Amino acid sequence: MILISNFSDTYLMKNILSYPLSVIFYLCFGFTLLVFHVLQWWAFNLSGYHAHKKSVDIFNFFLLRCLNLVGTRFKFENQFAFDATRPHIIVSNHQSMFDIPPIIWYLRQLHPKFISKKELAKGIPGISYNLRHGGSVLIDRKNPEQALAQINVLGHYISKTKRAAVIFPEGTRSRTGVPKAFAFNGLKTLFEACPDAVVVPVCVNNSWKLQRYGMFPLGIGVFLKLEVLQPLEVKDFDIPELIQHIEKTITESIQLD
């Protein structure tokens, strides 16, 4: 009975704290978006790609610090060295909008570019600017032909520039952490457009807990973990076999607790 009572008290306290902490988070989050919108514009227009990329890295470092305000802790595990002279395709499960800042920050050496829905290209300071000018592509999810054409463009872009594409093959985020089936066509298009790429599977754990109640309040005290799994060469596999292998590897690493 004492254990049950202590658990209930802790749960109640966390729920109460989540409201004021979420308000503080969103104030800091909004301020960070505005400041780095200006800094990105300045960097991109006055100094070009590399200065803009550096501003985006720092931007996402501060977004992680904003998440620390609601008690979020981060752990990034990677046992592998990356070759910056090769293009990479980062394939990750998707649990919340907060998967993106740690991927950008912790894998910044790969210059990650995203496949984003077109609606995010306007109206969000900092984020929309980066999507429009940082090398990512914008897709219309209601138009598969346009979406695949843009994914193909991204594949050729990373092949030429030796940068990285990030793809969330579940399509939409899992709101409970339980993985959704991987869509085939987007991955296939990306692999065919950049057959010399190294695939970097990434498993995200627990970020869904930040949005378990929606956008407000945020879940507090979340331990968000990212793990880089064994990299793979696209050229070493038939594409259907590669997709199946990646999906199995990532889903088996997801921890549901």
Side-chain angles (χ1 to χ4, degrees), residues 212-254:
R212 69 171 82 200
Y213 311 118
M215 293 298 292
F216 188 88
L218 295 177
I220 65 173
V222 172
F223 185 25
L224 197 160
K225 295 179 281 188
L226 282 83
E227 181 183 3
V228 174
L229 307 173
Q230 178 66 56
L232 305 162
E233 295 278 352
V234 172
K235 63 188 178 185
D236 288 346
F237 295 84
D238 292 328
I239 287 178
E241 177 192 2
L242 177 58
I243 293 173
Q244 184 180 35
H245 179 75
I246 295 168
E247 181 172 14
K248 183 174 184 291
T249 300
I250 292 175
T251 55
E252 287 181 349
S253 298
I254 295 173

Side-chain angles (χ1 to χ4, degrees), residues 146-217:
Q146 183 270 352
L148 292 177
Q150 286 299 300
I151 292 172
N152 184 65
V153 167
L154 182 59
H156 288 291
Y157 169 84
I158 65 167
S159 181
K160 179 180 179 180
T161 59
K162 313 307 178 189
R163 294 169 186 162
V166 180
I167 184 168
F168 299 114
E170 293 166 283
T172 58
R173 64 181 185 265
S174 167
R175 298 178 185 274
T176 61
V178 177
K180 299 180 179 182
F182 282 16
F184 181 84
N185 287 337
L187 284 169
K188 178 176 181 288
T189 300
L190 200 50
F191 293 156
E192 289 179 341
C194 191
D196 54 332
V198 178
V199 180
V200 182
V202 173
C203 180
V204 175
N205 275 299
N206 296 330
S207 77
W208 67 272
K209 295 178 181 179
L210 281 162
Q211 292 188 276
R212 69 171 82 200
Y213 311 118
M215 293 298 292
F216 188 88

